[in-house]
């Protein structure tokens, strides 16, 4: 029997954490190679059971993570979770069916469960309609990537996070540990990806004459650096103090506006979801006019898919390997779309390793010429926006986006923060905001991670600079 994940363990408080044998949990990290061995042994065993014309693909999502939730400056819940799930895809002729089930790392029990699901898929697959654009498994080549980080020891998380916040009303969630993705198919392909990551998504609150206000920020990466975190908390406290200034109501209109990286990331995410070949072919992309040359973006804007940072697997769920780097928008021009194997077959295009949903998985927007330290001086008079939320298309074919300001947003006069503002709604066309009205991008970029933990910890995020934009449009 091959040892794998320990049972799921939930710990309620610091004393229970101290009583827990940490070596048992750390042993999980030392047995990653055993998990790899177990997963590929399972794939080999299942593939050996296939009948003629049957094809099989297995995808693994697994993690061993610490989750710590806190509010009002106190730890409220903490836990160590080890979990894994396999997605099994059976293809027969032009039909395809899938099943999902837990992965424990114990080969015998995993095989019994997987074989049961395989039989279920076989019994149902003939009843499904055929798909003329089905892509059968191929051997695109195998890969093996393991990225080691320097995460906080589990027993040190509490002090590291909360001691620099003494006396502050802080709330948030820390998630850190190893995340695994793997792929194997009946064509002989094998992929393994494991990485150490953490994210601390937090908010600082303060009571003001106009009610409770908050500053929101994220500290994330693969190497925890205490001094860097301490400096970030200091910056958040400075913004928190500014929130206690008398507030200001801004009238609807167009204003010179700075979008900090967290706010810029929200806006850029609408570009990263609009560059898929299938969306362009079907006329559902907001960048259709850009692809046709009917509208343009600023020459300052370059967006690429960059897997060299190692934040996400380079392989897709079908096992295709994306190039290390692929420029999507270069100096305002759309020069490449994301093409999945399915779209390649359907539209007679060459696949470039995009996943089936054709969303960017490792997006990076290049920086510009504006030093971050000079942002307020160049903004001079206008709006400083730390965060945005509730974004949506208001006119997708024409690239119009609506949304709201959130958290620490300020009115700036003479290059100084002078007043926090009440929340505003914006309604802006990306061809204007990221076109002729884009003044500059900051030279520094910041990584905005995907902090979604629904079902499992997510990977990836976006590397993006801040944006200084002229005549940004705000409505009622």
């Amino acid at each position: 029997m091959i040892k794998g994940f320990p049972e799921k363990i939930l710990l309620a408080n610091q004393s229970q954490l101290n009583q827990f044998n940490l070596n048992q949990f750390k042993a999980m990290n030392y047995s990653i190679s055993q998990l790899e061995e177990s997963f590929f042994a399972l794939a080999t065993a299942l593939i050996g059971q296939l009948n003629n014309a049957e094809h099989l693909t297995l995808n693994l999502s697994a993690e061993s993570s610490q989750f710590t939730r806190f509010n009002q400056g106190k730890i409220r819940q903490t836990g160590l979770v080890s979990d894994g799930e396999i997605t099994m895809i059976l293809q027969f002729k032009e039909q395809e069916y899938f099943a999902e089930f837990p992965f424990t790392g114990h080969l015998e029990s995993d095989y019994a469960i997987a074989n049961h699901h395989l039989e279920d898929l076989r019994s149902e697959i003939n009843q499904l309609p055929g798909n003329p654009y089905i892509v059968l498994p191929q051997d695109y080549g195998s890969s093996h990537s393991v990225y080691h980080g320097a995460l906080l020891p589990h027993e040190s998380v509490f002090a590291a996070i909360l001691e620099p916040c003494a006396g502050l009303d802080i709330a948030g969630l820390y998630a850190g540990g190893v995340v695994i993705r793997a792929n194997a198919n009946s064509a002989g392909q094998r992929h393994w990806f494991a990485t150490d990551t953490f994210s601390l998504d937090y908010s600082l609150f303060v009571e003001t004459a106009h009610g409770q206000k908050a500053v929101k920020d994220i500290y994330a990466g693969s190497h925890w650096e205490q001094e860097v975190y301490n400096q970030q908390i200091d910056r958040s406290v400075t913004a928190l103090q500014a929130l206690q200034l008398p507030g200001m109501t801004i009238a609807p209109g167009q204003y010179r506006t700075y979008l900090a990286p967290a706010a810029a990331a929200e806006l850029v995410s609408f570009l990263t979801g609009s560059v898929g070949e299938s969306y362009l072919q079907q006329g559902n992309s907001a960048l259709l006019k850009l692809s046709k040359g009917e509208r343009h973006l600023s020459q300052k804007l370059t967006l690429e898919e960059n897997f060299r940072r190692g934040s996400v697997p380079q392989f897709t769920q079908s096992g295709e390997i994306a190039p290390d780097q692929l420029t999507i928008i270069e100096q305002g021009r759309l020069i490449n779309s994301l093409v999945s194997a399915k779209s390649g077959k359907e539209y007679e295009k060459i696949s470039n390793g995009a996943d089936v949903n054709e969303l960017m998985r490792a997006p990076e927007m290049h920086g510009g010429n504006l030093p971050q330290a000079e942002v307020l001086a160049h903004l001079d008079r206008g709006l400083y926006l730390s965060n945005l939320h509730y974004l949506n298309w208001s006119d997708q074919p024409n690239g119009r986006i609506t949304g709201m300001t959130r958290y620490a947003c300020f009115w700036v006069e003479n290059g100084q923060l002078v007043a926090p503002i009440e929340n505003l709604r914006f309604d802006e066309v990306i061809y204007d905001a990221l076109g002729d009205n884009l003044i500059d991008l900051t030279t520094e970029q910041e990584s905005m991670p995907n902090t979604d933990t629904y079902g499992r910890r997510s990977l990836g995020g976006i590397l993006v600079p801040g944006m200084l934009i002229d005549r940004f449009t705000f409505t009622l």
Side-chain angles (χ1 to χ4, degrees), residues 296-302 329-333 431 434-436 438:
H296 68 274
L297 297 174
S298 171
Q299 292 185 0
K300 299 179 176 70
L301 195 151
T302 293
I329 297 173
E330 184 176 59
Q331 296 181 345
R333 297 178 297 112
Y431 295 115
L434 302 182
D436 292 340
L438 180 63

Side-chain angles (χ1 to χ4, degrees), residues 115-147:
N115 198 49
H116 172 76
H117 282 288
L118 180 58
E119 292 303 322
D120 281 348
L121 294 179
R122 281 173 169 156
S123 67
E124 300 286 344
I125 197 167
N126 284 321
Q127 301 177 41
L128 299 176
N131 176 7
Y133 303 114
I134 191 171
V135 178
L136 298 177
Q138 298 181 43
D139 186 356
Y140 296 102
S142 297
S143 66
H144 188 275
S145 301
V146 177
Y147 296 90

Side-chain angles (χ1 to χ4, degrees), residues 68-77 161-162 165-175 199-206 212-219 229 232-233 236 240 407:
T68 300
R69 190 178 299 278
F70 49 93
N71 63 40
Q72 295 182 327
K74 297 180 181 179
I75 300 297
R76 302 300 181 179
Q77 184 182 36
I161 292 174
L162 295 183
C165 303
L168 298 174
D169 185 355
I170 182 171
L173 174 66
Y174 170 87
S199 65
L200 174 59
D201 193 349
Y202 69 90
S203 297
L204 299 179
F205 296 89
V206 65
Q212 191 179 67
K213 301 291 184 180
V215 173
K216 185 181 185 302
D217 213 333
I218 294 174
Y219 178 50
Y229 170 65
Q232 181 167 314
I233 291 296
S236 296
L240 200 67
Y407 298 118

Side-chain angles (χ1 to χ4, degrees), residues 437-448:
N437 292 348
L438 180 63
I439 299 171
D440 209 343
L441 304 166
T442 59
T443 53
E444 301 90 342
Q445 302 159 289
E446 292 187 21
S447 179
M448 296 294 125

Side-chain angles (χ1 to χ4, degrees), residues 25 29 32 62-67 81 146-154 157 173-181 193-200 218-224 309-313 447 449-453 456-461:
F25 187 73
N29 292 328
I32 288 177
E63 66 180 292
S64 179
S65 300
Q66 177 175 7
F67 295 91
V81 176
V146 177
Y147 296 90
H148 296 290
L151 307 184
L152 286 170
H154 307 299
V157 165
L173 174 66
Y174 170 87
V178 62
V179 178
I180 296 169
R181 299 289 186 265
F193 174 91
T195 184
D196 289 330
T197 64
F198 73 88
S199 65
L200 174 59
I218 294 174
Y219 178 50
S222 58
H223 292 71
W224 181 279
R309 292 183 286 133
S311 60
V312 292
S447 179
N450 185 347
T451 58
D452 185 11
T453 58
R456 65 179 63 90
R457 285 176 62 207
S458 297
L459 288 170

